[in-house]
Amino acid sequence: MVLNEHHFDEWKECRSSIARFDKAIVDLRKYGFTLITGLLTADAFLFAKIPESGLSPKEKAAVSIVTMALVSVLFVVDMQHEILLRGVVERAEAIESELNLKITTTISTIAKKSKIDTWGILLHSSFIFISAIPALFSTVEPNIKDITAKWEFIFFMILTPVVFFVFVLVYDCVTKK
């Protein structure tokens, strides 16, 4: 087989693009999850340590829902970068098959075996469900005697992360087609 210089240059550009997308995704996750963890910590501190803050259950729910929405937006942005990365990887694999190279194909095989996509969804989903905990427990625990009046709030704070979780799963399924 004659080495096609154009394909080799394109393959090098693919590898370079893969490195750029990987760096962007790592930075997005690093800073995004740091921000989300900070928000969750602030929520927990605000709700647990400052009960006299005067926040109503609706206001506490709003803070938690905003955090869930931010986690979901982080997931969408992450997936958009993953889609672009996936396109470059597929092109690199196609060129590699013509040039008898194996680096991208080998890395892709290992990544698929590690179920990395499943771990990403699990991580985002965990943050979504954890976001509901401070508002839920800070509202219910001090008023345990009045628990019957809180059932609507409890139901809402359990249903909301489930809705965001379903959104993450559906979005993931749609983007993988």
Side-chain angles (χ1 to χ4, degrees):
M1 178 179 151
V2 177
L3 180 63
N4 184 332
E5 192 65 34
H6 170 72
H7 279 129
F8 190 69
D9 289 342
E10 186 180 0
W11 177 79
K12 288 193 297 187
E13 182 56 38
C14 284
R15 292 300 312 159
S16 175
S17 295
I18 289 168
R20 283 193 307 271
F21 281 124
D22 275 344
K23 182 179 178 348
I25 290 169
V26 166
D27 287 346
L28 176 69
R29 290 174 183 167
K30 178 173 48 177
Y31 297 121
F33 287 133
T34 299
L35 173 68
I36 298 301
T37 303
L39 286 172
L40 290 173
T41 303
D43 289 354
F45 180 77
L46 176 68
F47 296 156
K49 298 293 184 187
I50 311 174
E52 62 276 352
S53 65
L55 292 177
S56 71
K58 289 180 181 178
E59 292 167 327
K60 291 177 181 181
V63 171
S64 291
I65 290 169
V66 166
T67 305
M68 289 179 221
L70 288 173
V71 172
S72 299
V73 167
L74 178 65
F75 179 77
V76 169
V77 173
D78 187 309
M79 287 305 298
Q80 292 303 310
H81 282 80
E82 286 280 342
I83 290 166
L84 296 172
L85 175 63
R86 202 176 309 136
V88 175
V89 166
E90 287 175 8
R91 181 63 188 144
E93 289 175 336
I95 295 169
E96 284 182 3
S97 70
E98 292 177 23
L99 299 177
N100 200 22
L101 300 171
K102 302 233 186 282
I103 187 168
T104 308
T105 308
T106 302
I107 293 169
S108 292
T109 302
I110 292 168
K112 287 174 186 168
K113 284 181 182 177
S114 72
K115 307 258 190 258
I116 197 98
D117 292 344
T118 304
W119 287 107
I121 291 172
L122 181 63
L123 182 62
H124 284 91
S125 300
S126 296
F127 275 124
I128 287 171
F129 282 102
I130 289 168
S131 297
I133 293 172
L136 185 61
F137 284 107
S138 70
T139 301
V140 173
E141 189 237 329
N143 301 309
I144 200 73
K145 293 176 187 167
D146 190 27
I147 194 74
T148 55
K150 304 293 181 192
W151 280 116
E152 288 178 3
F153 180 77
I154 293 168
F155 179 73
F156 181 75
M157 288 310 298
I158 292 172
L159 182 63
T160 304
V162 170
V163 169
F164 278 104
F165 174 69
V166 169
F167 168 77
V168 164
L169 288 180
V170 169
Y171 191 84
D172 182 61
C173 289
V174 168
T175 57
K176 293 241 167 100
K177 288 185 177 182

